[in-house]
Amino acid sequence: MISNIAANPAAAPSFRTGDERLIKLTENAAKKVGTLLTKQGRPNGVLRVAVVGGGCSGMQYKMDLQDGPANRDILVESAGVRVVVDPKSALYVTGSELDYLDALDGGFKVKNPNAATSCSCGESFSA
C-alpha cells in the first residue's frame, strides 16, 4: 500500500457532487467567501462547512477555506462558490442556507431547517 502512495502521490480525492438542496449560499455569502478565497491565494478553493459537537446548544458549525475537496466529501456549487460537506455533517445541514451580514453583529449566519433549537448567539443548535 505504501508503494501505491509513493508511485502516485498526487492521487485525486474521491468525492461526490451534490446540489443546492444540501446547502445554498446567498449572494452576500458567495461574495464574501470569494473575497476571502482570493485574499488567501486560493481562487479555486472551497468553503468547508461542518457540524461539530460543542456550543451552548450541543452542536456548532465550523467553516474553513481549503484548497479542494477531501475523500468522501460532497461538493456543491452555489452562487459560483464551491462548498464541501463531509457525509456526517450533511445529515445536519441538508436544506440549509448560508448568508453573510455585514454589520456589527453580523458575519456568517446559517438558516437550518433541521435545527430543533438554536442558542441566542446563533452559533450553535440542537437537532
Side-chain angles (χ1 to χ4, degrees):
M1 185 163 169
I2 294 173
S3 62
N4 289 343
I5 293 170
N8 191 3
S14 173
F15 60 89
R16 296 181 291 165
T17 302
D19 59 38
E20 288 184 324
R21 290 177 292 179
L22 177 59
I23 191 163
K24 181 178 181 177
L25 272 63
T26 65
E27 199 61 39
N28 284 343
K31 285 179 187 175
K32 185 63 176 179
V33 171
T35 300
L36 293 170
L37 284 168
T38 301
K39 280 184 180 179
Q40 284 194 1
R42 297 177 175 178
N44 297 317
V46 299
L47 170 68
R48 173 169 302 284
V49 177
V51 174
V52 296
C56 49
S57 292
M59 291 185 250
Q60 60 188 6
Y61 303 103
K62 181 180 176 191
M63 293 179 225
D64 191 21
L65 300 175
Q66 299 181 341
D67 292 328
N71 282 329
R72 301 187 64 228
D73 278 344
I74 303 167
L75 174 70
V76 174
E77 186 158 337
S78 180
V81 173
R82 297 185 326 146
V83 182
V84 292
V85 180
D86 65 86
K88 188 174 180 183
S89 295
L91 298 171
Y92 297 104
V93 301
T94 298
S96 293
E97 180 182 73
L98 179 64
D99 195 8
Y100 180 79
L101 304 174
D102 195 10
L104 185 60
D105 65 342
F108 288 102
K109 303 289 181 186
V110 180
K111 296 176 189 168
N112 187 340
N114 305 305
T117 60
S118 296
C119 65
S120 60
C121 66
E123 305 256 332
S124 66
F125 69 100
S126 66

